[in-house]
Amino acid sequence: MRFKRGYYDVFVRTCAKYPSRIAIRHYENGLYKNYSYSELYGVCEYLSQNLQQLPCKKGIIGIISERNVIIPCVIAAAHKCSTTFMFLNPAEDVEKIVQRVKFSILMQIKNVESGNSELINRKSDKTVNVFNLTVNIYDLESSGRQSNYKYAPEHSFIATTSGSTGEPKHIQVPLQCMQPNIDDLTKIFDITPDDVIYFSTPLTFDPSMIEILLACMNGASLLIAPEKPDVLFPEKNENSVTFWQTTPSRFFQHSNANIKNSILGANSTLKILALGGEPLNGIKRLKELKDVKNKTKIFTLYGVTEMSCWACVAELDLNKIVCDQEVPLGNCLSETEIILEPTHKNKNTNKIIVASKTRKCSILNKATSTEEPNSFKCIDTGDIGEVKNGTIYYRGRKDDIIKRFGHKVNLQAIESTIMLCPRVTTCSSIWLPKPMLLVVYFSSETLSSQELSDFLKCKLDDKHWPDKIIRVDNLPMNSHGKISKQILSEMFQKLQKPQTLESFRMILMKELKVTLNRCFTYEDIKDRDFFSIGGTSFLAVSICNKLSLICPKFGKVILPYLISQKNTIDDIIRIAVKELGIEKKRTRERLKRSRSNTESFASTGQSIKKIAENVKPQNFIEFVVVWTYDTGKCVDAPPTLFKNGFKQFVTVGSHSGKIVVVDAITGITQGVVKVKSRVEASVFCYNDTPLTTPCGMVGTYDGTIVCFKLESCEELWRINIGSMIKSKGTCCKGCLYIAAYDGNIRCIDVLTGIIKHTIQISGQAISADLALAKNEYILLGTLTGVCASIHIETKTVVWRASLGSPVFANPVLYDNDKYVVFAEVNGEIHCRTVEKGIKIWKYQGAKGNIFSSIYIKEVDKFKWQMVFGCYDSKVYSIIVKNFQPNLQWKTQLTSSVYSTPCSLSDQLILAVSNNGVLCILNSETGVLVSEYSLPNESFSTPAIYGDYIFIGCRNDHLYSIKYSLNL
């Protein structure tokens, strides 16, 4: 069908046919605002009148805008008043594009409250307000700007390639090139006026025109909304999406739970899911997550912008397709032909050529010696295809086939193999020719790099094994929603950049200034230790985590020295340089830290929906303070309960140096032991031979260890080991085992206090409590990331392993002491066997640092619930079933959580956030049931006795709180 005035004629015809139909559905702040075709027609004419007052002629109209409700009106008005329009991304350098392209007019569309109308150093010639939007119009016709581009004066738009396969190109797409796509896809996808089409593609990416024109040609609705499944597929189906076109990378950023329960769930309204723009890696995931009752049809689209937009389409039968290698290229769309040209190097593969007699586009910025526009009949896509039984299958790009040590390696084949691994979400493999490294990036909630490496070694020949496997939360995408191998290469090169003594000094100084919020020079602080300039243990961990993004080993090396208080800043730098083997030579090259690249590891993709989000707790539980005890200073230590006869007691240490013993029920003081230093460790209570009465043992900041009778607080002995103690000890066979910040564990006679043995672990600090397993092994974790097991009889380390970051959390045992769980600061949780340290499983789903220990409950045979707090202010519950960890729920609290969650009952879990709020959660759902606020911060892990909660607070008090159900 011919249209004399381009998309304007298309738009007017639809407005006349469907005047009362909803053209745009706009979701904002929980509400939908709908706009009919007749309303948009009025806006189109209003814009046209303003444009016609300027000398458009047949030039290019540049439209600087994000997706918004008037886009269909704007492109229709642009074609009525001129012939060609081009979308410009507001986030890009608009002035640079304006210098290349000779625009007649620029239209800048933004929210009314955005204010300033200056662009390219000039004010707008016209300003029009429509709905809640401001349209600034700039007349460039008279500016005399010259363009390097030669474009055809016909109704068209200019699309921009993403640059994923080379330099970005500007492609002039005539109307007759796009129209066959719209006619075909309308029939194939059965688009009707009742459809709700999700308007999700960036405007500079030509598939956005497919979304706009499928709606405008058929009287359907465009939905503008955030890409959140609960918004796209609400319970009220009137505004629920029926057609969604997106890239596989963007689609697979959604969590398994959201895809399974919402997008491809049994009751989903989604009629068509069309995936295109890049290879589809994820068939196995689609097969697993698509509900058997789900009726969504899934299509793949293939095409090139140089013959905009799509060339082939294939409907996928997930019952017949087993893996990504079996995804067909599909059937050609109208006026399009696929030609396969055999490659000389491999008889089984062919170059994919897209050809057409009518669908001709022009590359405007192609470097050619001729002034004639480069019109196409045939386009070499750069892609490789394989033909089997008359069906074409995509086999990657020519660039994906690299030569490695004399062997041909197909990166696309490696990615397809990776996607067979059950827990992988997305992946990308890149080849770095200069260092000759094959690097794989992947995202997964629970799978570790080592586990993926083991999987690939089983599935691939050794010539395909990656040199480096890196796990990220989400792979970085370019502006068009495709995985960007360019950004991945830059990320890797930044991380691997060699350092010098000077650059280490510079990046440490930068982090010290930012974290401590102080201004100083290196000379000011080089002879001082970290704590003397305002540092704390937590800030040391925070700084080292950031430094590890730039140089992975640097942060790990310096952490123990930062928190030891024995080394100056200058000492620490020199130790790091020596341990990392860095040459001490001056260089002019300065280290540049790219925030966008380093933060790509933390990506902003979506995570599993918070169950308790926006749910206010009800007062189902009543809290009553039974008694308090003023210790004189902060109580950060976890209280310890012990029973003597028929009486229950609680004991705890304080920063004041007091260790108190109190009757748990009455609050009557049993006694006080005083030391000269802070007490942050928990008291270990012991009542076994050779002791004749229950005793408490605890270490302090100055290295003092005291043993006292719990009934009377009479001291039995006191010694000093000369090193800070924050760790709770454990007793076995008449000996106290206690760890210190010098990295040693002392074996002390409980009767006399004589040190019988000293066991060296790592030479660096141990902060976490010790765990006793089977009365035979002691498990521990250190601040250098070492986890180990000591055999009590032999006093030797039976196994030792290195983790990626410090361990502040206590080791926790489960399944009759067969397994031990370690939580690292970086958020990873590891399970190993107690006796040999064999790796069993790993969980990597936490999105923040872990200082909390883990509460473990057996749910069923071979099934355990593990709950822990996190620095990201969430409490996580994971279920470990058959040695596979999976997130059960995570709940947002009001502050970070350092203390360990504990059980109140089978249904209730208590978690305490740092701001002193006691939060009671449903153990199965994570829903916040009730809460109670202490008057100050709390880092103390509570102790539970019946319906009593004992907890320390930073207002110097130990609290006894009774709780009762208020039903």
Side-chain angles (χ1 to χ4, degrees), residues 46-56 81 105 126 139:
Y46 180 45
L47 291 173
S48 300
Q49 290 167 12
N50 282 274
L51 286 173
Q52 285 169 337
Q53 294 172 25
L54 300 173
C56 296
C81 302
I105 287 175
K126 276 185 174 293
D139 174 16

Side-chain angles (χ1 to χ4, degrees), residues 401-539:
I401 300 173
I402 53 106
K403 203 162 188 180
R404 185 189 190 207
F405 309 124
H407 298 282
K408 285 183 185 174
V409 173
N410 190 325
L411 302 182
Q412 175 69 22
I414 294 174
E415 291 173 6
S416 296
T417 305
I418 293 169
M419 293 308 298
L420 294 175
C421 190
R423 289 182 280 162
V424 173
T425 305
T426 52
C427 72
S428 184
S429 54
I430 57 172
W431 172 247
L432 302 171
K434 196 171 181 181
M436 294 188 70
L437 289 177
L438 176 56
V439 182
V440 161
Y441 282 88
F442 77 101
S443 62
S444 172
E445 189 176 293
T446 57
L447 193 73
S448 69
S449 297
Q450 185 57 53
E451 287 170 322
L452 180 56
S453 176
D454 295 340
F455 175 84
L456 292 180
K457 285 178 180 178
C458 296
K459 298 286 184 181
L460 296 172
D461 295 336
D462 54 3
K463 65 184 178 184
H464 288 84
W465 290 354
D467 297 300
K468 189 84 173 173
I469 298 178
I470 300 171
R471 178 187 172 274
V472 292
D473 288 337
N474 277 304
L475 272 71
M477 294 185 292
N478 60 30
S479 59
H480 289 175
K482 305 178 187 180
I483 290 174
S484 174
K485 296 201 175 192
Q486 182 181 351
I487 295 176
L488 289 173
S489 298
E490 290 171 1
M491 282 166 54
F492 186 83
Q493 287 162 359
K494 287 283 182 185
L495 289 176
Q496 304 304 313
K497 193 169 182 178
Q499 310 292 348
T500 64
L501 174 65
E502 287 76 14
S503 65
F504 275 131
R505 282 179 182 166
M506 191 184 79
I507 60 175
L508 179 58
M509 282 295 293
K510 182 178 178 180
E511 290 304 334
L512 287 173
K513 288 177 183 178
V514 171
T515 305
L516 301 177
N517 197 23
R518 292 180 59 187
C519 186
F520 41 62
T521 66
Y522 189 74
E523 292 299 317
D524 294 336
I525 65 166
K526 71 174 187 177
D527 297 321
R528 298 173 65 183
D529 69 83
F530 178 60
F531 281 77
S532 71
I533 60 174
T536 65
S537 297
F538 171 72
L539 292 179

Side-chain angles (χ1 to χ4, degrees), residues 171-174 177 306-308 359-362 374-376:
I171 313 292
Q172 185 180 9
V173 184
C177 184
E306 290 86 343
M307 191 180 287
S308 185
R359 299 183 63 202
K360 299 175 186 177
C361 297
S362 303
N374 184 19
S375 294
F376 287 102

Side-chain angles (χ1 to χ4, degrees), residues 314-415:
E315 183 176 355
L316 302 182
D317 186 343
L318 297 182
N319 295 318
K320 295 179 180 178
I321 298 175
V322 176
C323 63
D324 299 332
Q325 295 289 83
E326 296 180 8
V327 176
L329 207 62
N331 299 319
C332 290
L333 294 168
S334 294
E335 302 179 38
T336 311
E337 185 181 354
I338 295 290
I339 300 171
L340 296 176
E341 187 176 297
T343 57
H344 299 295
K345 299 175 182 179
N346 192 332
K347 293 180 180 179
N348 295 324
T349 57
N350 304 266
K351 289 195 292 184
I352 299 176
I353 310 290
V354 179
S356 177
K357 293 179 180 179
T358 56
R359 299 183 63 202
K360 299 175 186 177
C361 297
S362 303
I363 299 181
L364 300 182
N365 57 337
K366 185 177 177 69
T368 59
S369 56
T370 176
E371 294 184 359
E372 291 297 317
N374 184 19
S375 294
F376 287 102
K377 290 184 181 178
C378 295
I379 302 163
D380 184 348
T381 62
D383 294 327
I384 301 296
E386 182 179 5
V387 181
K388 287 184 177 180
N389 300 322
T391 302
I392 306 171
Y393 298 94
Y394 181 82
R395 293 294 180 255
R397 294 189 55 75
K398 286 186 285 189
D399 303 340
D400 287 342
I401 300 173
I402 53 106
K403 203 162 188 180
R404 185 189 190 207
F405 309 124
H407 298 282
K408 285 183 185 174
V409 173
N410 190 325
L411 302 182
Q412 175 69 22
I414 294 174
E415 291 173 6

Side-chain angles (χ1 to χ4, degrees), residues 244 246-254 259 263 273 275 286:
W244 188 1
T246 187
T247 61
S249 296
R250 284 188 62 169
F251 179 77
F252 284 123
Q253 280 202 341
H254 292 280
I259 295 173
I263 302 171
L273 173 63
L275 301 171
L286 283 174

Side-chain angles (χ1 to χ4, degrees), residues 11 14 18 21-25 35-37 40 72 186 190-198 211-223 242-243 271:
F11 183 70
T14 302
Y18 305 106
R21 282 278 183 182
I22 296 172
I24 300 285
R25 301 171 190 267
Y35 302 85
S36 68
Y37 275 100
L40 293 194
T186 294
D190 188 26
I191 304 298
T192 72
D194 295 324
D195 277 305
V196 177
I197 297 171
Y198 185 33
E211 294 164 5
I212 296 168
L213 294 174
L214 277 179
C216 285
M217 291 285 287
N218 297 286
S221 300
L222 282 174
L223 172 68
T242 63
F243 174 86
K271 188 172 73 175

Side-chain angles (χ1 to χ4, degrees), residues 451 814 819 831-833 837-842 883-884:
E451 287 170 322
Y814 77 101
Y819 307 104
C831 174
R832 294 174 180 260
T833 60
I838 298 169
K839 298 178 185 177
I840 302 300
W841 54 261
K842 183 197 261 188
F883 305 112
Q884 291 293 325

